[in-house]
Amino acid sequence: MSSNKKPSKRKRPDDLKGTIARIWRYLSIQKGWLFLVIVMVVFSSGFSLLGPYLTSVAIDNYLVPGKLEGLPLILGLLVAVYVLQSAATFFQNFWMIGIAQKTVYRMRKDLFHHLHRLPIPFFDKKTHGELMSRLTNDIENVSRTLNSSVIQIFSSVLTLIGTVGLMLWLSPLLTLITFTIIPLMFLGMKWITNRTGHYFKEQQRNLGEMNSVIEETLSGQQIIKSFSQEKRVLTQLDEKNEALRASGFWAMTYSGFIPKLMNVLNNVSFLLIAAAGGLLSLKGLVSIGVIVAFIQYSRLFTRPLNDLANQFNTILSAVAGAERVFNILDEKEERPDEGDAVSLQQVKGKVAFRNVSFGYEKDGATLTNLSFEAKAGESVAIIGPTGAGKTTIVNLLMRFYELNGGTIEVDDHDVTKVKRESLRQNMGFVLQDTFLFNGTVRENIRYGRLDATDEEVEEAARVANAHTFISRLSEGYDTVLNQDGGGISYGQRQLLSIARAVLADPAILILDEATSSIDTRTEIQIQKALWSLMEGRTSFIIAHRLNTIQRADQIIALDQGKIIEKGTHEQLLEQKGYLWGQVGT
């Protein structure tokens, strides 16, 4: 039997009022429709209160005296009241669903747009599964609450106020007797709600963590199976699943006490009204119709309290999700371009690093006082052991990260004074790890330049030596690929990435282990095409295979973030330094 051990309590983050105020800012965009919903809520609540009163009138004025001739009119009014109440309820629900969906649409859109404005370091610290959970589960949680809770709160408050007013009007004494259950109700509700809030928050956090594990596991199935780590992964998922189950169990258990408490108090209220009403009726202080109405109103009195209590727990759950969304929206965006930032025009491709220093962490340096220059049209190979800082140079050139010191220049422009979009549009980037989008082969290549014609797409594929294998696919260029590139090899996916860069026709070409996943025969076939592509472009080649860098105009060897040697292939071999040691001559 699984344990129901309570998860450890966490400090509530938690600006409940602030989060609700931010949700209201989204809702208030549709004030007109909200006004109509409120009008329908008023009508619906009014009609629900009118029904018991008409029942009381029917009993006292017609049934008890035996005046049956007026009874059909009262019954007709009752039917009309309940029909109108149903119509008002339908429209309030229908319109509120539209409001809720438009609200979460804007929230989801804002979150997705904001994610694209966040700096790369943010994504280094967040898992894909966690971010997906905030875009889907958390926002959907807000959506479910808005669909029902907003109108339920308005309706409950109006019904409660109206019910109390009518009860006082009909019989202050019976009202006072009914109110004796209120202290018990609030004590019970306080005990419950004090325990549910942090469990709902814990539940959302655990859900995000479990989604992260699932996403990571599905993406890494090949590695998991290769190293026979299925048991470890299953154990990890079991731990996250158990944490989610435990937090969900206690959140639902405590919130489940609410309807049970209300049922008990409803029965107590019914007993008090029946007993006291009977005694008062015998003394002629209240009529039978008033007692019947009071029994109905007592139900109407406890129901909105029950609904408000339930909505409180639902709102806590939604606020927990909304807070996670707003936490992302509050993350600082990528530093905006300088006010005097320029757009690069007719880029030639001269690149210079001047005393560049950088560290991913504050107390660590990845690059230290790095200086070199690549002339326009020159090919620069960057070599060195793992962790030397090769890929970091590329990340800084693309302004994925900001420098700690020094400057990087493109065509004598400090890149911090250049608009990021302009800078990146002039660079073609082929990553070591390929990434394909869900779509056809043609669409994946065209991602390099969206206005490219089909002929240009196919020409880029030929240059990258991808046309032959594409032609052999079942649908050729119209073959649909998923993100994992199912149906084609890793090397073929790399070729598509190269074709994408070819199509972009950049002034600066960056190849980060671009041929690392291509077999030797294929590599030889595309070397000529790659060097032809690099002709007239400034190219940065990060490679471990030394045969891919022999024709580079300049080779830079890094170690621990510093340049240890620099020159042509022949010059470095003559120096008998790092490159000479790698070649083994």
Side-chain angles (χ1 to χ4, degrees):
M1 182 178 292
S2 61
S3 170
N4 289 327
K5 182 180 178 181
K6 294 184 182 180
S8 59
K9 292 189 177 182
R10 301 172 68 245
K11 182 180 178 181
R12 294 180 66 176
D14 314 339
D15 181 8
L16 180 64
K17 292 181 179 178
T19 303
I20 292 176
R22 293 182 71 170
I23 295 174
W24 168 249
R25 285 200 289 272
Y26 279 95
L27 278 171
S28 62
I29 296 174
Q30 303 176 79
K31 290 180 180 177
W33 285 107
L34 279 172
F35 175 76
L36 289 176
V37 168
I38 292 173
V39 170
M40 290 297 104
V41 170
V42 171
F43 281 130
S44 176
S45 300
F47 289 137
S48 68
L49 294 171
L50 185 57
Y53 176 74
L54 291 176
T55 301
S56 172
V57 171
I59 294 172
D60 288 340
N61 295 353
Y62 297 97
L63 289 178
V64 173
K67 298 178 180 179
L68 301 181
E69 64 275 6
L71 189 59
L73 177 61
I74 291 294
L75 294 178
L77 285 174
L78 276 171
V79 171
V81 163
Y82 289 124
V83 169
L84 290 173
Q85 181 191 2
S86 299
T89 301
F90 169 79
F91 283 110
Q92 74 184 30
N93 290 331
F94 180 77
W95 289 335
M96 193 61 219
I97 289 171
I99 292 170
Q101 292 305 310
K102 288 180 180 178
T103 298
V104 295
Y105 164 81
R106 289 189 179 94
M107 289 181 67
R108 188 180 292 112
K109 180 179 178 181
D110 287 350
L111 179 59
F112 193 70
H113 285 203
H114 186 70
L115 286 172
H116 285 282
R117 294 193 292 267
L118 292 175
I120 292 296
F122 168 82
F123 296 96
D124 293 340
K125 299 175 183 178
K126 299 289 184 180
T127 64
H128 294 169
E130 181 182 356
L131 294 177
M132 288 172 59
S133 180
R134 300 195 189 200
L135 272 164
T136 54
N137 296 330
D138 290 333
I139 288 184
E140 186 59 29
N141 202 7
V142 176
S143 173
R144 287 194 299 267
T145 301
L146 292 180
N147 281 335
S148 59
S149 295
V150 174
I151 56 175
Q152 191 65 60
I153 289 172
F154 282 130
S155 178
S156 297
V157 170
L158 288 174
T159 301
L160 189 61
I161 294 173
T163 301
V164 171
L166 286 170
M167 289 171 72
L168 287 170
W169 179 57
L170 290 172
S171 175
L173 184 56
L174 278 179
T175 302
L176 183 62
I177 294 172
T178 304
F179 281 4
T180 57
I181 67 169
I182 291 179
L184 293 175
M185 185 178 299
F186 278 102
L187 286 174
M189 292 304 306
K190 184 178 180 181
W191 183 84
I192 293 171
T193 55
N194 283 344
R195 286 160 174 76
T196 53
H198 80 275
Y199 287 129
F200 280 116
K201 181 68 179 178
E202 189 86 359
Q203 184 181 26
Q204 291 301 115
R205 185 181 68 85
N206 290 334
L207 180 60
E209 290 181 356
M210 191 179 75
N211 284 339
S212 178
V213 172
I214 292 173
E215 191 273 338
E216 183 182 76
T217 301
L218 294 177
S219 300
Q221 273 296 303
Q222 188 173 4
I223 299 298
I224 292 170
K225 293 183 182 299
S226 297
F227 289 92
S228 300
Q229 292 296 315
E230 291 90 344
K231 288 184 179 180
R232 187 190 68 82
V233 170
L234 290 173
T235 300
Q236 185 181 18
L237 181 61
D238 285 344
E239 291 174 354
K240 299 298 182 184
N241 200 14
E242 171 60 22
L244 176 60
R245 186 205 61 78
S247 58
F249 173 85
W250 287 107
M252 293 297 105
T253 297
Y254 280 119
S255 62
F257 287 156
I258 294 175
K260 296 176 177 62
L261 173 65
M262 289 302 173
N263 285 335
V264 170
L265 294 177
N266 272 333
N267 292 331
V268 171
S269 176
F270 175 80
L271 178 62
L272 290 174
I273 293 171
L279 293 174
L280 292 174
S281 178
L282 291 175
K283 295 181 179 182
L285 296 177
V286 295
S287 65
I288 295 175
V290 169
I291 296 174
V292 172
F294 239 88
I295 291 174
Q296 295 183 65
Y297 281 133
S298 70
R299 299 292 186 185
L300 288 176
F301 174 70
T302 54
R303 190 184 69 188
L305 290 176
N306 185 21
D307 291 339
L308 286 172
N310 283 327
Q311 295 310 319
F312 183 79
N313 284 285
T314 303
I315 287 173
L316 282 179
S317 179
V319 167
E323 280 178 337
R324 286 162 52 84
V325 172
F326 292 142
N327 285 342
I328 299 294
L329 289 173
D330 290 338
E331 289 284 343
K332 290 184 178 180
E333 297 181 359
E334 192 171 40
R335 195 170 72 187
D337 294 324
E338 300 289 342
D340 56 351
V342 299
S343 295
L344 296 175
Q345 303 293 333
Q346 297 179 340
V347 177
K348 295 179 180 179
K350 178 184 175 183
V351 176
F353 278 60
R354 306 193 189 281
N355 300 314
V356 170
S357 295
F358 173 76
Y360 291 101
E361 302 293 338
K362 292 181 179 179
D363 55 351
T366 305
L367 299 177
T368 305
N369 294 324
L370 190 74
S371 297
F372 68 88
E373 183 174 309
K375 298 177 182 178
E378 190 174 52
S379 57
V380 179
I382 304 174
I383 63 174
T386 300
K390 303 184 296 295
T391 300
T392 301
I393 289 177
V394 173
N395 287 336
L396 295 177
L397 179 59
M398 300 284 287
R399 284 196 70 190
F400 290 152
Y401 299 86
E402 298 297 335
L403 303 179
N404 293 348
T407 60
I408 300 175
E409 298 176 358
V410 173
D411 284 0
D412 297 321
H413 292 285
D414 185 341
V415 294
T416 61
K417 304 293 184 182
V418 176
K419 293 180 180 179
R420 286 187 181 84
E421 184 178 4
S422 173
L423 178 69
R424 294 167 184 170
Q425 282 178 344
N426 285 282
M427 296 185 184
F429 203 6
V430 180
L431 290 165
Q432 179 178 358
D433 298 320
T434 61
F435 185 88
L436 299 178
F437 298 90
N438 289 324
T440 65
V441 171
R442 192 187 310 278
E443 289 169 341
N444 269 279
I445 297 176
R446 186 175 277 134
Y447 199 80
R449 181 160 56 86
L450 297 180
D451 61 350
T453 64
D454 290 349
E455 291 74 17
E456 289 173 325
V457 169
E458 293 182 14
E459 179 58 29
R462 287 189 175 89
V463 172
N465 203 45
H467 179 75
T468 301
F469 92 80
I470 294 173
S471 300
R472 290 198 297 264
L473 295 175
S474 59
E475 301 294 332
Y477 283 85
D478 295 318
T479 301
V480 176
L481 304 175
N482 56 34
Q483 181 179 331
D484 296 329
I488 62 175
S489 70
Y490 196 93
Q492 289 171 334
R493 280 180 268 166
Q494 192 75 304
L495 291 177
L496 293 182
S497 295
I498 294 172
R500 185 188 293 164
V502 171
L503 187 63
D505 193 23
I508 301 173
L509 184 65
I510 299 169
L511 305 175
D512 187 356
E513 296 286 359
T515 60
S516 62
S517 299
I518 299 174
D519 60 85
T520 304
R521 179 181 177 184
T522 304
E523 182 183 13
I524 293 173
Q525 291 175 342
I526 70 171
Q527 281 302 317
K528 184 176 180 180
L530 280 175
W531 285 108
S532 176
L533 170 66
M534 288 187 285
E535 189 69 31
R537 293 182 174 84
T538 305
S539 304
F540 291 89
I541 310 163
I542 298 175
H544 284 105
R545 293 185 182 181
L546 299 181
N547 62 325
T548 63
I549 65 172
Q550 292 178 1
R551 292 178 54 184
D553 297 311
Q554 182 182 174
I555 299 175
I556 297 174
L558 296 179
D559 191 17
Q560 297 182 2
K562 297 179 180 179
I563 296 177
I564 55 176
E565 59 186 37
K566 179 168 59 176
T568 64
H569 187 264
E570 292 75 15
Q571 289 171 343
L572 296 186
L573 288 180
E574 290 177 3
Q575 294 177 15
K576 295 187 177 181
Y578 175 82
L579 180 64
W580 181 83
Q582 295 299 306
V583 174
T585 56

